[in-house]
Amino acid sequence: TDLKVTGIDYLKSQNTRLHHTDAYNIKNLVVRRGQAFQLQLSFSRELKASDKLALRFGIGKSPMKTRGTLMSLNAKQEQDPSGWQISIVKKSGNQCLLSVTSSPRAMVGKYTLNVKTGTNIYKSENNAVYLLFNPWCEADAVFLDDEAKRKEYVLNDTGYIYVGSAYNIYGRPWNFGQFEEFILDACMYLLDKSNLKISNTGDPVLVSRAMSALVNANDDSGVLMGNWSGNYSSGTSPMDWVGSVSILQKYYNTKKPVCYGQCWVFAGVLTTVMRCLGIPCRCVSNFNSAHDTEENLRVDVYLNESGEKLNGISLDSIWNFHVWNDVWMKRRDLPAGFDGWQAIDSTPQEQSQGIFQCGPCPLKAIREGDVYLPFDGKFVYAEVNADEVYWVIKKVNGVDKYTRISTDTKGIGVNISTKAVGQDKREDITAEYKFPEGSKEERESMQKACSFLHPSGIIPRARFASIVPVDDKHSKPETVSKTGLQLQITNKGALYPGNPLEMAITVKTSTPGSWTINLASSCQLQLYTGKVKATIGYVKETVKLEGKSETQVPLKIAADEYMKTLASVEDEVLIHVTTIAEVQGTDDKLTNEMTMNFEYPPITLQMPETAKLNKEFSCAFVFQNKLNVPLNNCKLLVEGLGIFKMTEFDEGDVEPGRIIKSQVICTPTRVGEKKMVAKLTSTLIKAISAEKAITI
């Protein structure tokens, strides 16, 4: 009689454990390439040596052997030319245990499996097998030789995204949730939707580039619609997400872009997609990030005489922080030496090859100034290395006169941050992106990068700056002025919304003589993109100092000067102070600026430290409004991956002193350390967040 297959057992629990894919919430088998997995076949009779048996793995719409999208694996062959292998482990009665190893360069995606015996073809239910990248396999381009790093960058489904300002950084908890229901299918849908040839889906360079394009909706109705307008009424405010899960589930369900994202949301979602596909990935926050539209490594900052930053004169901008991603891979497409972390960015900023995508660009190339290497090296190099040039605009006989006051070569690209491996703390990775400021290597890297940017030499920036002679910025480094003038901006206490903001400007001189200093300082509320929303206070003073001395000028702003702005802006705002000092009778000029964050009362999470699988426990979220102003339209958003789905509580208006408490009954579905994340938003305050771990 003909040999027929009567069933396939995918041996899911043992295979997924060995392939580190047991957390995926999906019925199908998920395995990683280049690593053996086993299948148990049942036949209508015992398998004989003369029987023909072949496993056929197909990928794409119409799999064909000639295109390499159909692997027909014969149990008697040594190895298939495609690099796949199959062998019989053992036979007993009508059963046969097979071992299958895919090629470490195999296409990544959803394969269908059919079994051919003679002229019979057997298709099982759930016959899709998902094949992912394999950081555990030495021959895979994404191999990462460190178990703790694989745990963090591939398997960790929670983490932090660092935000705030350069000298006041805080971690925003984020749920990546790469193993949650429908997330893997959403990633497979994105792979299908990308313009990648199916034969290129195994190349992490091309896959990560394609995903950086698809996570934004700009060219291809991808996942997220960016919005920095301050009006989010027709979608979800970027401040209101606690993770990627609801975004990707909604996208997969509707196949339409989800509204809205800003940089940390794009980076959070791209991390989820990369980790889900098996490419090691981390979120990277760059503080004082330059958005250099002309690739000339200069960002001009324009101030008026009061020290107010002026919007809209320069096309360039400096973001308080910008978040992108690093992915880990070998660059087989480049000369040797550029393997390891590569920067990719899905926030739509500038087009690359005609669409909004960015990277992968080797960190090594950014550090060394090899910005000609693919992809987008010049743009990323400028984000971390541009110089800031400060100009003051004064009216002279009715005409705007531009005076260059100072150049800051060290202010851009500081405290580049990511979550530390295996710990809930910040790791500073600035040294992976740039050599120490002022070192010989840094100067060489800068010269090399500049030679690829504008061979014609540095050109002035904004639309009118050509009226000002600009000296070459590689001239002598600035020396301390004759007076040894120094400026420092500090806050006297915590900056709570509803309280007066108390700050001070310290002016110092360090050389003999008597000095008269004109000081102008302004305090503005700005978005993290550097865009000014309102000026809330000034100070203009003339200070006299003798020799080596210092004085403090207070800058105090009453609550009602800024509270209206705070309530009218839908984004989180930062406090930005800019100071200009000019020493009379000399050409000594100096600027300094400082960005500070408001501080907020905390959310506390009350729950046990441990709980049992499938056994109920309760988790309470408690918040007391310790501010002296009411918080209107409070919403509490909570999520616990593997414990409970995203839940939203409408808390209404919370008066000063009032305590709110919301409770969730939780039933854990997965073991291990899990995290609860909570976020409170209101008209006044956009993002108070907290998280707590529990061991199931």
Side-chain angles (χ1 to χ4, degrees), residues 252-499:
Y252 182 59
N253 188 13
T254 62
K255 309 289 191 283
K256 288 191 177 78
V258 176
C259 302
Y260 292 105
Q262 288 178 4
C263 70
W264 69 90
V265 190
F266 287 106
V269 171
L270 189 53
T271 301
T272 302
V273 172
M274 293 288 107
R275 288 184 184 180
C276 185
L277 293 172
I279 299 176
C281 182
R282 62 187 185 187
C283 284
V284 173
S285 301
N286 178 38
F287 289 89
N288 297 347
S289 188
H291 181 158
D292 174 18
T293 50
E294 294 175 17
E295 291 187 343
N296 63 2
L297 287 188
R298 272 197 33 202
V299 176
D300 292 314
V301 180
Y302 296 94
L303 310 170
N304 65 15
E305 292 181 62
S306 308
E308 287 176 279
K309 235 183 199 176
L310 304 172
N311 277 337
I313 290 182
S314 171
L315 301 172
D316 299 322
S317 54
I318 297 160
W319 292 24
N320 283 300
F321 64 87
H322 177 42
V323 191
W324 61 76
N325 301 85
D326 285 341
V327 279
W328 179 271
M329 63 190 65
K330 283 195 178 64
R331 287 300 295 266
R332 294 173 173 147
D333 57 325
L334 298 183
F338 294 102
D339 296 342
W341 289 117
Q342 318 283 321
I344 58 174
D345 191 347
S346 55
T347 299
Q349 294 190 90
E350 296 286 320
Q351 291 186 334
S352 168
Q353 295 177 325
I355 60 174
F356 285 97
Q357 57 186 354
C358 180
C361 171
L363 265 53
K364 203 123 180 247
I366 299 165
R367 203 169 85 169
E368 311 270 348
D370 292 308
V371 294
Y372 56 91
L373 288 169
F375 294 93
D376 308 307
K378 292 174 183 173
F379 186 71
V380 183
Y381 188 85
E383 287 183 302
V384 298
N385 282 308
D387 289 347
E388 274 178 285
V389 181
Y390 291 90
W391 304 83
V392 166
I393 304 179
K394 291 182 181 175
K395 280 257 189 274
V396 178
N397 306 328
V399 180
D400 284 347
K401 179 174 179 254
Y402 297 88
T403 313
R404 173 171 166 169
I405 22 181
S406 63
T407 301
D408 183 358
T409 57
K410 296 187 173 66
I412 299 275
V414 297
N415 300 340
I416 304 174
S417 302
T418 190
K419 178 188 171 304
V421 173
Q423 298 176 59
D424 288 342
K425 58 181 211 197
R426 185 178 77 86
E427 182 188 350
D428 192 300
I429 54 169
T430 312
E432 296 183 45
Y433 273 88
K434 49 208 280 196
F435 289 110
E437 287 292 350
S439 65
K440 178 167 156 285
E441 293 88 351
E442 187 237 4
R443 282 196 299 275
E444 285 167 1
S445 156
M446 190 59 118
Q447 267 163 344
K448 193 196 286 187
C450 287
S451 70
F452 296 113
L453 288 162
H454 279 290
S456 58
I458 299 296
I459 55 169
R461 274 224 177 153
R463 301 184 276 279
F464 51 68
S466 51
I467 58 172
V468 186
V470 173
D471 51 349
D472 176 40
K473 77 156 190 273
H474 293 300
S475 57
K476 65 178 194 314
E478 286 191 68
T479 49
V480 174
S481 60
K482 301 195 261 289
T483 52
L485 183 63
Q486 277 178 301
L487 292 173
Q488 204 180 358
I489 302 161
T490 48
N491 51 314
K492 292 193 163 175
L495 304 167
Y496 290 115
N499 289 8

Side-chain angles (χ1 to χ4, degrees), residues 303 306-307 309 489 520-522 524 576-580 592-593:
L303 310 170
S306 308
K309 235 183 199 176
I489 302 161
S521 191
S522 80
Q524 296 175 302
H576 188 81
V577 179
T578 312
T579 301
I580 310 174
N592 196 0
E593 51 182 351

Side-chain angles (χ1 to χ4, degrees), residues 575-641:
I575 303 158
H576 188 81
V577 179
T578 312
T579 301
I580 310 174
E582 301 190 37
V583 183
Q584 290 181 12
T586 72
D587 52 8
D588 256 9
K589 296 182 183 64
L590 193 61
T591 57
N592 196 0
E593 51 182 351
M594 186 73 183
T595 308
M596 293 164 269
N597 316 336
F598 281 104
E599 295 190 40
Y600 311 120
I603 301 171
T604 25
L605 280 68
Q606 298 173 345
M607 60 181 185
E609 285 184 8
T610 59
K612 292 219 158 41
L613 191 65
N614 302 321
K615 287 272 194 313
E616 279 189 1
F617 69 93
S618 87
C619 177
F621 303 89
V622 184
F623 173 79
Q624 179 174 18
N625 181 5
K626 291 181 179 165
L627 303 174
N628 57 24
V629 284
L631 297 177
N632 300 341
N633 308 323
C634 286
K635 270 193 317 208
L636 179 70
L637 308 154
V638 295
E639 185 177 53
L641 300 181

Side-chain angles (χ1 to χ4, degrees), residues 117-138:
T117 50
T119 54
N120 297 308
I121 292 183
Y122 176 83
K123 283 186 183 164
S124 75
E125 279 189 280
N126 270 347
N127 71 336
V129 174
Y130 292 74
L131 189 65
L132 307 180
F133 289 98
N134 193 353
W136 284 264
C137 167
E138 225 165 312

